[in-house]
Amino acid sequence: MSCSDPSRQEGANADRARVMFAHRKNLVIPEIFWPLTSSRVLIMEFIHGAKVTDLGYLNKHKIDPRLVATTFNDLFGEMIYTRGFVHADPHPGNVYVRSKEPTRSWWNWLFGGKSSNFELVLFDHGLYRELSDDFRLNYAHLWLSIINGTQRRVFFMYWLTSDAGDEKGIKHYSKELGAGDLYRLFTAMLTARVYDSVVSTDGSNNNLKKPRSEAETKLMMNTASNYLTDVNTIFGSIPRELLLVLKTNDLARSVENTLLVRCV
């Protein structure tokens, strides 16, 4: 569909996403009223709710903010890593929460998980980005290198032999994604952490499991201006699809901070 027909393109994106994520019972994408839609006007279902970061709404309806943040991150993780079809403007105005009667899956009933009393509502489907298989694999391997470090496979599961970030993997996949020799700064940009919190100088620890300390936050704020030239170099060399993913990462981090949680 041509870019000169934005309303129908947005509707088509919404329909595609609705089918693609139909298995997510806690996700709502408004229905498009095609007979009433033209090249200039898009008519869709009206849905009540509140911004995903509206703590007052969550408290009023007894919705767990941590569960909202986890559900949000899980949705966009599937978009990025599994589907390769990513909503390109997922700010809180485009992601709403709608309360509903609590439902409990057989899995939660069996293992004592929380019942779901909300749905995420995704608006504004005008701009999506498709991610190539090569990009998604490199990006996934980069995060595995950052989080897991050295792994040993035992039967069909991974057993971690170290909590340290895998610097060799970080360096390799950062270069595959265009960051070149600036992989340390690139990793800090991805994680919003000082690089030594990811991979210590002796490779012995990974502090991503711990909240960022006040001292680390102050260090990042005081030294950020020293890296502006290198940050611009990275932005100029990485693929455009990665710029979108970085934007999504920043939003997810912002949602977490607003909801006063850290999803780990």
Side-chain angles (χ1 to χ4, degrees):
M1 198 170 295
S2 70
C3 293
S4 61
D5 199 353
S7 294
R8 289 194 173 93
Q9 180 63 67
E10 179 173 350
N13 288 341
D15 283 351
R16 180 180 174 186
R18 191 182 307 104
V19 172
M20 185 176 289
F21 299 103
H23 60 284
R24 290 186 167 272
K25 304 307 179 184
N26 58 357
L27 175 65
V28 176
I29 295 176
E31 293 286 344
I32 307 299
F33 297 115
W34 285 110
L36 302 176
T37 294
S38 70
S39 60
R40 300 182 63 182
V41 179
L42 177 68
I43 306 297
M44 68 178 68
E45 176 187 8
F46 181 83
I47 296 180
H48 290 277
K51 290 182 179 180
V52 68
T53 51
D54 189 336
L55 288 171
Y57 181 89
L58 300 184
N59 291 333
K60 178 181 177 180
H61 294 278
K62 296 181 172 56
I63 298 172
D64 184 354
R66 182 180 178 85
L67 190 55
V68 173
T70 302
T71 302
F72 174 88
N73 285 338
D74 189 50
L75 169 62
F76 281 91
E78 182 179 354
M79 286 185 174
I80 292 169
Y81 296 107
T82 305
R83 304 293 179 172
F85 186 60
V86 186
H87 189 295
D89 194 21
H91 60 77
N94 286 337
V95 185
Y96 268 43
V97 175
R98 178 172 74 172
S99 65
K100 69 170 186 176
E101 288 298 316
T103 58
R104 199 173 194 181
S105 67
W106 67 268
W107 180 270
N108 286 336
W109 178 85
L110 189 61
F111 293 101
K114 292 184 178 180
S115 59
S116 176
N117 63 341
F118 71 91
E119 296 167 320
L120 290 184
V121 184
L122 198 56
F123 296 113
D124 193 358
H125 300 269
L127 185 60
Y128 271 74
R129 183 79 184 192
E130 300 211 41
L131 308 180
S132 68
D133 291 346
D134 285 344
F135 171 84
R136 289 186 292 119
L137 284 171
N138 285 327
Y139 188 67
H141 280 301
L142 173 60
W143 270 107
L144 284 173
S145 297
I146 290 171
I147 296 171
N148 291 342
T150 306
Q151 295 181 326
R152 180 179 66 218
R153 189 161 187 170
V154 180
F155 298 106
F156 295 104
M157 300 183 66
Y158 285 108
W159 183 266
L160 303 186
T161 58
S162 171
D163 282 336
D166 173 15
E167 186 164 31
K168 183 178 179 180
I170 292 171
K171 184 175 182 180
H172 172 77
Y173 291 108
S174 293
K175 288 188 174 182
E176 289 293 315
L177 291 168
D181 292 329
L182 296 172
Y183 64 93
R184 292 173 179 265
L185 177 59
F186 182 51
T187 302
M189 291 166 61
L190 280 177
T191 60
R193 302 296 296 267
V194 173
Y195 184 76
D196 286 347
S197 292
V198 181
V199 179
S200 64
T201 53
D202 62 359
S204 62
N205 74 311
N206 182 332
N207 290 319
L208 286 180
K209 297 178 181 179
K210 305 173 184 177
R212 188 171 61 193
S213 68
E214 185 176 340
E216 185 179 359
T217 300
K218 188 174 296 185
L219 175 63
M220 295 183 71
M221 293 178 63
N222 291 339
T223 59
S225 60
N226 299 336
Y227 298 99
L228 290 179
T229 299
D230 288 339
V231 168
N232 286 332
T233 298
I234 290 175
F235 282 150
S237 62
I238 61 179
R240 291 186 64 185
E241 54 193 351
L242 182 52
L243 293 174
L244 164 65
V245 171
L246 291 175
K247 176 183 175 181
T248 303
N249 282 347
D250 286 343
L251 172 66
R253 194 173 293 121
S254 174
V255 168
E256 288 179 4
N257 290 337
T258 301
L259 296 176
L260 306 179
V261 298
R262 289 289 299 176
C263 296
V264 294

